[in-house]
């Protein structure tokens, strides 16, 4: 009888271990996200560098979460780690939800857009990711494997990047460019991704090189005190014992791998030309060097840290003071990154635009300081307060993200979200500062390099924002900090710890959770699987279908009736993300209206009326919906004159929501022409050009139409004046 129970328990334990392995593998698969691009051989979608990454990561996280819930219900040993960082992150997600519901467009805040695929739904997934990650990766052995897997993926991406640089198309979508973007679709994202991996590889290498050749790490609890810990470490370092050849070989291979990863990822960072990432890496290294100078226990490393401070500071001043010299320019001519660094200053268009976005963001924050405009709604606040002077230069400037994470938090989540977001970072820095003072000398280096990755990511995000391709690196480091925070001081970097791995101390001990029997465990797996399938279908497959369907509307061989059917199919597939397809549809109808038959126009108008009403109801503060629908209705005059009045109402609302955009004033001029009032159209153009003369290029066609209406009225003198203008 006892033997039978033991056999049954063993069977249940094996299934439990299998579920644990599957959960860990699912978490590891999340780090393949940067490789997902919805282009050949994968089916194409709208925004191929964004949509596929977000959908893939969400699906894998949902699978991992389902299996983790089964583990928790089977045994409480897999419950959350004891760290305040997870509750703080959960509070932040709660604030994001409140800010979403209180914002100007809850739908956009909750679901974002096909272009970004973020919002509340996405951040909830990453909270789940951190919970599962930190619950099943509980030992240093677990983390060492995971960090190396992530590094291996970064090396593969780096090799693909080198192929792009040398115009070797390892992937069909890669194109020759001054800055490599690899699988990210934007070179700046490459820098953010590689920055974290450079820090991780450096930390692992530094820890390995500084580790004494002893099988065990000194126990701080037994050693007691910083000096005593150092003495224990030094004694073991001096009494090295030969290791087995296999161990030496494995460590040597790992060191070679880490060196390769560092060199490759740094090279790819340089080839991406990402200044923010380079500045972030420099800031992280400087901070680490200063911290080691204060707390470091190895004299040689402390000297190296001081040298690093001098080198980084020297490079900074050399670049700042010498970038206008002929020698620097000669070197910069052959290096795109140096060329971009040499442009930093008042004339740097990218920097000026970011500063302008920050200025407008602060004005928008002042208008809604408590909870902001809602996540993913920076564009609404920006377009409400942007000035003609900022839009100047003849370029149609638009920011749907602040390109500065702190400004983004203030504008979209108000003081509430901003303070909690800063609390996350403050707590992480406190954990690192606390741990670095108690761990063994070689472990200090890894903790500090984790800080390099975090500080570097934070600094580069002052020029950028989180993306589906890079955000997993941030949450990887955040999860590692949770591990450091939760692990006892003497077991942080233990290479084997069955208790910290979440396994039961005794294989024969009965499970204590709700799914204690094998039957209940199997039932739990079934229920979790059903829930996961439902979540995947609703949250992921619907947007995937919508983004794939709208691509089919670009086929020039299909009729307008077929195209309109596809537009509505895309819209209906994922209603929370439908306004992007609606805008595309309205714009395409307006541009092609004169080429459509009367029957096609009537059908298009019927669809536009229906979808226009739904779009305005979904996002009543988004001027682009009003603009696109007004531009369409301005073409409908010959078919139905009553639409002129409807177009005027939409145009007036566009002007209220985005009073200073170039597109708005061009729309006002065209509306006046639609109402056969060329004088008002001329005034609309001139009044705007008086504030933004560089925008004249955008009014050439409209000016020509104004002149033609004056000619039709036989007012040739005024028509000539318009042409001269």
């Amino acid at each position: 009888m006892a033997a039978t129970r033991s056999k049954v328990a063993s069977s249940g334990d094996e299934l439990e271990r299998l579920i644990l392995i599957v959960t860990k593998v699912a978490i590891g698969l999340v780090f393949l996200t940067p490789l997902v691009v919805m282009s050949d051989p994968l089916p194409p979608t709208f925004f191929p560098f964004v949509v596929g990454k977000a959908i893939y990561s969400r699906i894998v996280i949902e699978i991992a979460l389902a299996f983790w819930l089964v583990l928790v219900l089977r045994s409480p040993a897999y419950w959350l780690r004891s760290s305040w960082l997870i509750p703080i992150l959960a509070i932040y997600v709660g604030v994001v939800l409140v800010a979403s519901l209180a914002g100007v467009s809850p739908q956009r805040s909750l679901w974002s857009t096909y272009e970004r695929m973020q919002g509340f739904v996405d951040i909830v997934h990453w909270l789940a990711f951190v919970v599962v990650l930190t619950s099943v990766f509980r030992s240093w052995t677990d983390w060492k494997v995971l960090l190396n897997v992530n590094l291996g993926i970064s090396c593969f991406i780096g090799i693909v990047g080198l192929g792009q640089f040398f115009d070797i198309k390892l992937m069909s979508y890669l194109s020759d460019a001054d800055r490599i973007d690899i699988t990210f679709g934007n070179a700046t994202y490459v820098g953010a991704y590689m920055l974290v991996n450079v820090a991780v590889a450096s930390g692992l290498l530094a820890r390995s090189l500084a580790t004494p050749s002893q099988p065990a790490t000194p126990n701080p609890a037994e050693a007691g005190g910083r000096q005593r810990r150092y003495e224990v470490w030094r004694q073991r370092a001096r009494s090295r014992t030969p290791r087995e050849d296999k161990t030496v070989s494995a460590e040597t291979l790992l060191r070679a791998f880490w060196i390769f990863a560092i060199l490759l990822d740094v090279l790819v960072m340089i080839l991406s030309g990402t200044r923010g990432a380079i500045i972030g890496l420099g800031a992280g290294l400087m901070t680490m060097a200063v911290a080691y100078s204060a707390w470091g226990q190895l004299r040689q490393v402390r000297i190296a840290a001081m040298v690093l401070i001098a080198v980084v500071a020297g490079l900074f001043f050399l670049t700042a003071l010498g970038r206008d010299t002929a020698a620097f320019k000669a070197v910069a001519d052959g290096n795109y990154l140096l060329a971009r660094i040499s442009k930093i200053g008042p004339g740097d268009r990218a920097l000026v635009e970011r500063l302008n976005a920050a200025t407008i963001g602060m004005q928008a924050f002042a208008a809604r300081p408590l909870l902001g405009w809602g996540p993913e709604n920076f564009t609404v606040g920006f377009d409400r307060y942007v000035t003609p002077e900022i839009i100047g230069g003849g370029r149609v400037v638009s920011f749907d993200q602040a390109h500065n994470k702190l400004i983004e938090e203030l504008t979209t989540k108000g003081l509430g979200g901003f303070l909690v977001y800063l609390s996350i970072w403050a707590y992480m820095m406190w954990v690192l500062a606390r741990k670095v003072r108690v761990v063994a000398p070689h472990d200090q280096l890894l903790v500090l390099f984790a800080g390099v990755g975090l500080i570097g990511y934070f600094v580069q995000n002052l020029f950028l924002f989180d993306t589906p391709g890079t955000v997993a690196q941030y949450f990887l480091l955040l999860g590692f900090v949770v591990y450091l925070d939760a692990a006892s001081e003497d077991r942080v970097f233990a290479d084997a710890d069955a208790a910290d791995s979440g396994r039961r101390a005794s294989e024969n001990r009965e499970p204590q959770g709700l799914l204690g029997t094998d039957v209940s465990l199997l039932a739990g797996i079934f229920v979790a699987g059903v829930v996961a399938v439902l979540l995947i279908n609703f949250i992921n497959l619907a947007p995937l279908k919508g983004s794939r369907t709208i691509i089919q509307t670009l086929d020039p061989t299909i009729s307008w009736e077929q195209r309109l059917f596809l537009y509505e199919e895309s819209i209906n597939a994922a209603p929370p993300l439908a306004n992007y397809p609606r805008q595309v549809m309205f714009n395409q109808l307006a541009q092609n209206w004169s080429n459509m038959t009367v029957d096609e126009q009537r059908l298009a108008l019927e669809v536009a009326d229906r979808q226009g009403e739904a779009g305005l109801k979904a996002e009543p503060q988004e001027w682009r919906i009003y603009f696109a629908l007004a531009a369409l209705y301005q073409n409908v005059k010959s078919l139905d004159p009553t639409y002129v009045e409807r177009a005027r109402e939409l145009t007036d609302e566009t002007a209220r929501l985005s009073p200073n955009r170039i597109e708005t004033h061009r729309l006002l001029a065209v509306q006046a022409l639609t109402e056969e009032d060329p004088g008002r159209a001329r005034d609309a153009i001139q009044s705007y050009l008086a504030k933004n003369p560089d925008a004249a290029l955008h009014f050439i066609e409209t000016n020509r139409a104004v002149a033609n209406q004056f000619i039709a009225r036989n007012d040739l003198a005024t028509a000539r004046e318009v042409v001269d203008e």
Side-chain angles (χ1 to χ4, degrees):
M1 196 68 179
T4 303
R5 283 198 302 269
S6 177
K7 185 176 180 179
V8 172
S10 177
S11 174
D13 291 340
E14 288 298 324
L15 184 57
E16 180 183 318
R17 278 192 289 270
L18 178 61
I19 297 172
L20 176 62
I21 291 172
V22 171
T23 306
K24 288 183 175 181
V25 170
I27 288 296
L29 290 175
V30 172
F31 296 102
L32 291 174
T33 297
L35 293 172
V36 180
V37 179
M38 301 307 290
S39 181
D40 186 50
L42 297 176
T45 67
F46 216 29
F47 297 105
F49 291 96
V50 176
V51 172
K53 288 179 174 61
I55 289 176
Y56 168 80
S57 62
R58 291 175 187 178
I59 288 175
V60 180
I61 290 171
E62 287 160 9
I63 292 172
L65 179 64
F67 280 102
W68 174 76
L69 288 172
V70 173
L71 285 173
V72 170
L73 294 175
R74 171 76 171 182
S75 173
Y78 300 105
W79 186 237
L80 300 178
R81 302 304 303 271
S82 178
S83 170
W84 278 103
L85 191 51
I86 292 178
I88 295 173
L89 182 61
I91 292 171
Y92 173 74
V93 173
V95 173
V96 170
L97 176 60
V98 175
S100 298
L101 298 177
V104 295
S105 176
Q107 176 177 287
R108 188 185 183 113
S109 292
L110 294 172
W111 291 90
S112 186
T113 65
Y114 283 118
E115 185 177 7
R116 297 301 177 194
M117 293 295 288
Q118 295 178 307
F120 173 76
V121 169
D122 194 64
I123 191 65
V124 164
H125 279 77
W126 288 110
L127 172 62
F129 171 80
V130 171
V131 167
V132 179
L133 168 68
T134 55
S135 297
V136 299
F137 287 84
R138 306 176 77 93
S139 73
W140 170 233
T141 302
D142 291 336
W143 275 97
K144 189 160 55 175
V145 171
L146 185 63
L147 293 174
N148 280 297
V149 166
N150 191 55
L151 281 177
I153 296 170
S154 80
C155 288
F156 178 80
I157 294 173
I159 291 171
V160 174
L162 290 182
Q164 182 183 18
F165 179 75
F166 290 107
D167 201 21
I168 302 173
K169 293 188 177 180
L170 300 176
M171 305 291 184
S172 61
Y173 48 79
L174 296 178
S175 59
D176 186 23
D178 293 329
R179 303 172 61 190
I180 60 173
D181 55 7
I182 322 180
T183 59
F184 295 88
N186 189 314
T188 55
Y189 306 158
V190 175
Y193 177 85
M194 291 300 174
L195 182 157
V196 173
N197 284 281
V198 169
V200 170
S202 300
L204 292 171
L205 178 63
R207 179 181 186 270
S208 174
L209 293 174
T211 300
S213 297
Q214 289 290 326
T217 301
N219 188 328
E222 297 175 357
R226 173 176 169 181
Q227 184 61 32
R228 178 57 183 156
R229 288 194 306 275
Y230 173 69
E231 290 298 330
V232 172
W233 180 92
R234 188 173 64 171
Q235 291 171 12
R236 293 191 174 183
R238 289 179 174 179
S239 59
R240 298 176 184 271
T241 57
R243 297 183 180 182
E244 296 180 9
D245 291 341
K246 181 179 179 181
T247 304
V248 173
S249 175
E251 192 70 15
T252 300
L253 289 174
L254 278 173
R255 289 174 181 175
F257 168 63
W258 294 327
I259 292 172
F260 174 75
I262 293 168
L263 295 176
L264 177 62
D265 290 356
V266 167
L267 177 59
V268 170
M269 279 182 64
I270 294 172
L271 295 179
S272 72
T274 310
R275 295 174 293 184
I278 293 296
I279 294 172
L281 181 60
L285 289 173
M286 283 287 282
T287 305
M288 184 208 74
V290 171
Y292 201 88
S293 298
W295 297 319
Q297 301 179 41
L298 303 180
R299 180 174 176 274
Q300 291 180 333
V301 179
R302 194 182 300 116
I303 294 173
M306 295 177 183
V307 171
L308 179 62
I309 294 173
V311 169
V312 174
L315 288 174
F316 173 79
F317 286 110
L318 180 64
T319 302
L321 299 176
R323 62 180 180 163
D324 293 329
T325 63
F328 187 92
K329 291 180 179 179
V331 176
D333 287 341
N335 185 284
Y336 196 79
L337 176 61
L338 289 178
R340 296 192 73 230
I341 290 175
S342 67
K343 295 177 182 178
I344 295 177
D348 184 351
R349 189 178 70 187
L351 179 60
V352 170
E353 288 180 351
R354 280 165 167 75
L355 291 175
N356 287 337
T359 301
I360 298 302
M362 290 305 296
Q363 292 181 27
F365 160 69
R368 299 175 67 98
L370 187 58
L371 291 171
W373 295 69
E376 300 300 294
N377 281 303
F378 180 84
T379 184
V380 179
F382 178 85
D383 291 329
R384 187 75 57 88
Y385 293 100
V386 69
T387 64
E389 293 76 19
I390 286 179
I391 292 180
R395 300 178 66 246
V396 180
V397 180
S398 184
F399 279 86
D400 68 335
Q401 300 279 335
H403 287 68
N404 180 302
K405 186 63 175 177
L406 298 183
I407 299 296
E408 178 79 20
E409 293 297 309
L410 277 171
T411 307
T412 61
K413 305 174 189 74
L415 277 175
F418 176 77
L419 293 176
V420 181
Y421 178 76
L422 285 186
S423 298
I424 295 172
W425 284 95
Y427 190 82
M428 286 194 292
M429 293 300 104
W430 179 79
V431 170
L432 294 179
R434 176 167 55 86
K435 289 294 180 178
V436 80
R437 288 178 286 184
V438 298
V439 297
H442 55 293
D443 294 329
Q444 276 188 325
L445 294 169
L446 180 56
V447 173
L448 286 171
F449 271 106
V452 171
L454 281 168
I455 292 170
Y457 190 90
F458 181 87
V459 171
Q460 67 85 32
N461 248 10
L462 297 179
F463 310 95
L464 199 60
F465 46 87
D466 295 324
T467 73
T470 61
V471 73
Q473 303 304 304
Y474 163 63
F475 285 109
L476 172 68
L477 293 177
L478 189 151
F480 184 64
V481 174
V482 172
Y483 163 70
L484 294 177
D485 190 27
S488 58
E489 307 296 5
D490 60 329
R491 302 302 300 177
V492 174
F493 293 103
D495 287 328
D497 188 346
D500 278 349
S501 297
R503 302 183 184 92
R504 292 187 301 276
S506 171
E507 294 293 340
N508 295 323
R509 183 170 61 82
E510 292 293 332
Q512 298 178 353
L514 294 176
L515 306 181
T517 65
D518 289 355
V519 173
S520 62
L521 179 59
L522 290 171
I525 294 173
F526 175 77
V527 173
V530 171
V531 172
V533 169
L534 293 175
L535 287 174
I536 290 170
N537 182 66
F538 176 69
I539 296 177
N540 303 295
L541 297 187
L544 180 62
K545 179 182 178 181
S547 63
R548 288 186 58 190
T549 302
I550 195 170
I551 293 294
Q552 300 173 38
T553 65
L554 302 177
D555 183 356
T557 63
I558 64 176
S559 67
W560 271 104
E561 183 177 357
Q562 292 172 309
R563 191 172 284 116
L564 288 166
F565 169 77
L566 290 172
Y567 277 131
E568 289 215 285
E569 191 173 64
S570 174
I571 290 167
N572 295 332
L577 293 163
N579 267 7
Y580 227 116
R582 287 186 180 113
Q583 290 180 48
V584 173
M585 180 180 69
F586 298 152
N587 291 333
Q588 287 298 311
L589 291 177
Q591 293 172 16
N592 294 279
W593 187 260
S594 60
N595 298 322
M596 299 166 63
T597 66
V598 172
D599 288 341
E600 289 173 337
Q601 289 177 345
R602 292 188 186 281
L603 178 59
L605 199 55
E606 178 185 338
V607 174
D609 286 344
R610 180 168 59 251
Q611 295 300 337
E613 181 180 356
L616 295 175
K617 183 179 180 180
E619 292 190 81
Q621 300 294 318
E622 173 54 90
W623 69 271
R624 289 173 180 82
I625 294 291
Y626 294 90
F627 173 87
L629 199 56
L632 170 61
Y633 285 170
Q634 287 171 349
N635 289 276
V636 182
K637 180 179 178 180
S638 59
L639 182 67
D640 187 343
T642 62
Y643 276 85
V644 175
E645 179 63 27
R646 299 178 68 176
R648 184 191 302 121
E649 294 173 357
L650 293 167
T651 299
D652 290 343
E653 190 63 14
T654 302
R656 185 185 72 82
L657 296 174
S658 57
N660 292 314
R661 293 199 63 87
I662 294 173
E663 304 96 314
T664 297
H665 288 265
R666 192 168 55 209
L667 185 72
L668 287 167
V670 173
Q671 180 63 32
L673 291 174
T674 304
E675 298 176 12
E676 299 182 359
D677 190 347
R680 181 157 58 91
R682 182 189 183 191
D683 291 341
I685 296 172
Q686 288 183 332
S687 64
Y688 187 75
L689 292 181
K691 295 179 286 187
N692 184 9
D694 292 330
L697 179 67
H698 298 279
F699 291 93
I700 292 177
E701 292 297 326
T702 313
N703 250 340
R704 187 176 292 124
V706 172
N708 288 336
Q709 281 205 3
F710 278 116
I711 291 173
R713 294 186 173 195
N714 204 30
D715 190 348
L716 301 182
T718 305
R720 194 173 295 112
E721 290 177 2
V722 172
V723 171
D724 292 339
E725 293 166 356

